[in-house]
Amino acid sequence: MVRAFVTTTIAAVVAALLSCWLVLIGWSLLGDAVSHAVLPGVVLAYVVGAPFALGALVFGGLAVVLIGAVRESGRVKEDAAIGIVFTTLFALGLVLVSVTPSQTDLSHIIFGNVLGVSRAEMVQVAVLAVVGSTVLLVKRRDLVLFAFDPTHAHAIGLSTRRLSALLLGVLALTAVVTLQVVGVILVVAMLIIPGATASLLTDRFGRMLVLAPVISAVCSVVGIYLSYWLDAAPGGLVVLVQGTVFAVVLLTSPRYGPLRRVVRAGRYS
């Protein structure tokens, strides 16, 4: 349980940081694509005895390259390219899971198994999370400008292609981190919900970078506690708590919540 708390909180924080940029740029679908595309890499890494992170990173990068190649063909739009690549790679991963002889149940890759995380895996998650978080925070100003106004970023000499590649690399890295907690299927939730929730509470990006990790970390702790008392899947409950918090914030947001508008209308009627 202690390892589960630590691992989940670490993964939640780095995923929440990245989610602020994904929500701002509109890369939610791309986050879904990369998180699903790492599955065959994880399975192949298991087969050859390599670290899961290595296989996931390779296939995460491969997914980004393939999406770019299909999109640049000129005949397929970006959303279609993303859908084609990530569903094909995810299907390949499912096939590999079904045919790979194993003494362990590889379904934990798909659904997550944070309660089974070893000390070595916890250290691996921590190291990858520190790397991803450091890159985001060190390049924060350039990445924020790229997210808000890529044209202006290019005009002042920043390479938008390199910044885009940097974010995609951190996305693949973060997908590996959160994979240990919630599995392939629910990774995208941890990459999107915290940033979306924080965006309803503030219009300042700096505050988003604080609110999103705090919300995500608290939801993770609550989710793990609930999984213990309810004897339910921890990864699913972590995401469920995050989704519940998002729904509450959406309804009660000071600026965007419909309940707030109803109260205001009642005051002036």
Side-chain angles (χ1 to χ4, degrees), residues 146-181:
F146 166 69
F148 278 102
D149 193 348
T151 303
H152 179 61
H154 179 73
I156 64 174
L158 294 176
S159 173
T160 54
R161 177 169 295 184
R162 289 181 181 177
L163 291 175
S164 177
L166 181 66
L167 269 181
L168 291 173
V170 176
L171 173 58
L173 192 70
T174 307
V176 176
V177 172
T178 51
L179 179 71
Q180 301 280 6
V181 178

Side-chain angles (χ1 to χ4, degrees), residues 62-73 81 85:
L62 176 63
V64 172
V65 172
L66 290 176
I67 290 171
V70 174
R71 180 181 55 195
E72 292 175 3
S73 68
V85 171

Side-chain angles (χ1 to χ4, degrees), residues 67-87:
I67 290 171
V70 174
R71 180 181 55 195
E72 292 175 3
S73 68
R75 300 288 297 174
V76 180
K77 293 184 178 180
E78 183 176 21
D79 58 343
I82 292 173
I84 292 169
V85 171
F86 102 74
T87 52

Side-chain angles (χ1 to χ4, degrees), residues 72-147:
E72 292 175 3
S73 68
R75 300 288 297 174
V76 180
K77 293 184 178 180
E78 183 176 21
D79 58 343
I82 292 173
I84 292 169
V85 171
F86 102 74
T87 52
T88 302
L89 289 178
F90 185 61
L92 172 62
L94 293 177
V95 171
L96 290 175
V97 169
S98 66
V99 301
T100 300
S102 171
Q103 296 180 347
T104 61
D105 185 7
L106 293 180
S107 64
H108 73 274
I109 299 173
I110 302 174
F111 301 108
N113 183 27
V114 69
L115 294 178
V117 171
S118 65
R119 188 177 299 275
E121 289 172 334
M122 183 179 69
V123 172
Q124 174 183 286
V125 167
V127 171
L128 294 177
V130 168
V131 172
S133 300
T134 301
V135 170
L136 290 175
L137 295 177
V138 169
K139 300 292 292 183
R140 171 189 166 188
R141 292 188 176 182
D142 292 347
L143 292 174
V144 169
L145 182 57
F146 166 69

Side-chain angles (χ1 to χ4, degrees), residues 186-198:
L186 295 178
V187 163
V188 67
M190 296 189 73
L191 287 172
I192 302 302
I193 295 177
T197 305

